Amino acid sequence: MNKASNLIALISTDDGTIDQVKKSLAGTYDIDVFANGMALHYAIQNMHAYKAVISDDEVIGINGAPLRKTLIKLGYLSTPFIILPAHIDDASRQIALKENITDFFPKPLNQEALHIRVPFLIDNYNPSVVTAEKNQTFKLPLIKRIFDITFSSLALLLLSPLFLIIAVLIRLESKGAVFYYSLRVGTGYKVFRFYKFRSMSSGADAKLKELSHLNQYNTQKNEGQPVVAKEEVKEVCDICEQAGSPCRSPLFTDNKMVCEKIFLKQKAGKIESAFIKIKDDPRITKVGNFIRNTSIDELPQLWNVFIGDMSIVGNRPLPLYEAEKITTDKYALRFMAPAGITGLWQVEKRGRGEMSEDERLKLDNSYAKNHSFMNDIRLILKTIPALLQKESV
């Protein structure tokens, strides 16, 4: 057995826990330490040799049952998964059993138990006795699917002259593709291409540095005095640098990539603004400004509805960086409803001031619990007056 086959992956940022695990398994296994599941995933893709994964988190934590579920979907069912929770109760035990967690060692850690049981679990682990969880994704009611196909196909047909005009105008004003897409997460965490009309000129990213002095976030922090935005975003953040990978947790806004660690520090007021928001952004074309203000840029999503990625009414599909954080029971319910062009939170909160992320997710969950075809029709009828309000969603 070579050295690589004796490796165990440990997800932890606590020096005490890391030291205890290493001492418990010294002489039997070598330990690779990772700060989070993303760094682990990258290493597994390049090695495929970990005998087990030990995660220093709660059962329902981001690096607990949600990570185990992700690893199983990626084909790593045969790798034992062990959790080191600070708290454990009957509910946690039931979740651990349901999510195929191999074992857990509550804190404070019993090093002797780790030394004896971890090798036993690895040597005797039999994934064939584990029933892989069936995807319990939302199943669209037939009447809703019929409505979506009928509505979207008629809309695409009737709007085709408008689509053609907009396409010609976009190409006449600036070179580049008429449509663009971003990856979004919809029903049951399904990832799909989310289409829009292009509203920015080609090379918008390259022009961003030239406009950094117009960043509204920096201006607001300095009492109206514009400052040049600092280059706060590293090519590789600390976590990914450890894994030897490109940034695995980027955030995106207006086609700008921002390291999540930098953003969180900025949010806590520790550094200059990481996000860029420019009033009267010159990168937006004249046609782009018009189609944004009239929501015409969203119309290509009717194709997403027609092919079944989305529904007319549902919870808005989320960018990848947002969706990957919503894996706990508190908010994951939103993904058990159809992804939609319009929905409850767009109608209920539009024009009523700023809405927190928590409020939005609660409304998404509320829709997931109470949606029906008749309620969908009511939301569609409420969407039109909502669109006439100034606030953009």
Side-chain angles (χ1 to χ4, degrees):
M1 184 179 290
N2 57 38
K3 183 178 180 182
S5 64
N6 278 330
L7 280 172
I8 285 180
L10 171 63
I11 302 174
S12 180
T13 57
D14 181 70
D15 292 337
T17 299
I18 295 170
D19 184 61
Q20 283 184 297
V21 173
K22 286 185 174 181
K23 287 181 178 178
S24 299
L25 302 176
T28 307
Y29 297 102
D30 294 311
I31 308 298
D32 274 0
V33 181
F34 300 95
N36 61 24
M38 289 185 183
L40 168 65
H41 179 213
Y42 182 81
I44 289 178
Q45 284 182 313
N46 288 275
M47 183 173 292
H48 300 280
Y50 289 110
K51 302 293 287 187
V53 175
I54 301 176
S55 182
D56 179 17
D57 203 349
E58 302 302 318
V59 172
I60 62 172
I62 189 67
N63 293 314
L67 176 60
R68 174 56 163 167
K69 184 184 295 185
T70 298
L71 291 176
I72 290 176
K73 289 180 179 179
L74 293 172
Y76 302 114
L77 177 62
S78 60
T79 305
F81 190 91
I82 300 165
I83 291 183
L84 311 178
H87 307 283
I88 196 72
D89 53 27
D90 289 340
S92 297
R93 289 186 176 90
Q94 291 176 8
I95 294 173
L97 181 63
K98 177 183 177 182
E99 301 299 339
N100 300 321
I101 292 171
T102 310
D103 204 349
F104 52 81
F105 295 83
K107 295 179 181 178
L109 294 177
N110 183 327
Q111 289 185 237
E112 183 178 357
L114 276 172
H115 177 73
I116 296 172
R117 288 170 57 189
V118 170
F120 176 83
L121 290 168
I122 291 172
D123 292 340
N124 294 276
Y125 184 69
N126 183 4
S128 65
V129 302
V130 179
T131 302
E133 179 186 356
K134 295 180 179 178
N135 291 330
Q136 298 179 350
T137 55
F138 172 80
K139 187 174 181 180
L140 201 68
L142 180 59
I143 188 173
K144 186 173 175 68
R145 182 61 187 143
I146 292 174
F147 175 81
D148 286 341
I149 293 174
T150 303
F151 188 102
S152 60
S153 58
L154 287 175
L156 287 168
L157 181 63
L158 294 174
L159 292 172
S160 57
L162 176 62
F163 275 46
L164 180 60
I165 293 171
I166 296 298
V168 171
L169 291 175
I170 290 174
R171 288 303 301 271
L172 286 175
E173 184 173 12
S174 63
K175 295 181 180 179
V178 171
F179 302 98
Y180 87 96
Y181 73 84
S182 60
L183 295 179
R184 294 293 180 98
V185 182
T187 308
Y189 290 93
K190 175 187 175 183
V191 179
F192 64 94
R193 292 183 176 186
F194 181 84
Y195 292 99
K196 283 188 175 184
F197 278 120
R198 178 173 61 85
S199 58
M200 284 189 172
S201 59
S202 298
D205 291 343
K207 298 177 183 177
L208 195 56
K209 289 184 180 179
E210 303 171 12
L211 304 172
S212 60
H213 64 287
L214 300 176
N215 185 7
Q216 286 184 308
Y217 288 109
N218 285 338
T219 301
Q220 291 168 2
K221 282 194 168 189
N222 292 274
E223 298 180 353
Q225 300 299 319
V227 298
V228 176
K230 297 181 179 180
E231 289 297 317
E232 297 289 358
V233 182
K234 298 192 293 183
E235 288 295 327
V236 181
C237 63
D238 294 338
I239 294 173
C240 298
E241 188 172 20
Q242 173 188 230
S245 72
C247 187
R248 305 294 291 181
S249 54
L251 308 183
F252 294 92
T253 178
D254 293 335
N255 297 320
K256 174 70 174 176
M257 188 198 85
V258 180
C259 175
E260 182 180 9
K261 290 187 67 178
I262 299 296
F263 170 66
L264 293 177
K265 288 181 181 179
Q266 182 271 328
K267 191 175 181 180
K270 295 180 180 179
I271 64 172
E272 296 285 350
S273 175
F275 277 172
I276 298 289
K277 181 180 180 182
I278 300 171
K279 185 177 181 180
D280 300 323
D281 192 334
R283 296 174 301 158
I284 300 176
T285 63
K286 293 179 180 179
V287 174
N289 188 57
F290 170 74
I291 62 178
R292 282 189 175 200
N293 290 336
T294 56
S295 296
I296 291 175
D297 65 323
E298 305 279 352
L299 291 179
Q301 290 157 40
L302 289 166
W303 176 250
N304 287 120
V305 174
F306 183 77
I307 63 178
D309 291 331
M310 296 171 60
S311 184
I312 296 297
V313 180
N315 290 330
R316 286 294 281 178
L318 299 182
L320 298 180
Y321 75 85
E322 289 186 19
E324 69 183 7
K325 297 171 186 174
I326 306 175
T327 54
T328 61
D329 291 341
K330 184 177 181 182
Y331 291 130
L333 178 63
R334 76 172 308 282
F335 293 106
M336 296 302 290
I341 292 179
T342 187
L344 182 61
W345 72 264
Q346 292 95 327
V347 171
E348 293 295 326
K349 298 298 291 187
R350 190 159 188 156
R352 299 184 184 181
E354 294 185 2
M355 176 175 52
S356 69
E357 181 181 3
D358 190 62
E359 288 179 299
R360 171 178 166 178
L361 289 171
K362 285 180 179 178
L363 287 172
D364 285 348
N365 274 2
S366 177
Y367 175 78
K369 291 178 182 177
N370 304 304
H371 67 85
S372 68
F373 182 69
M374 291 308 299
N375 282 337
D376 285 354
I377 298 300
R378 294 188 187 98
L379 287 174
I380 290 173
L381 295 176
K382 289 182 178 180
T383 297
I384 297 174
L387 288 173
L388 298 178
Q389 298 174 19
K390 293 183 179 180
E391 186 180 24
S392 175
V393 297

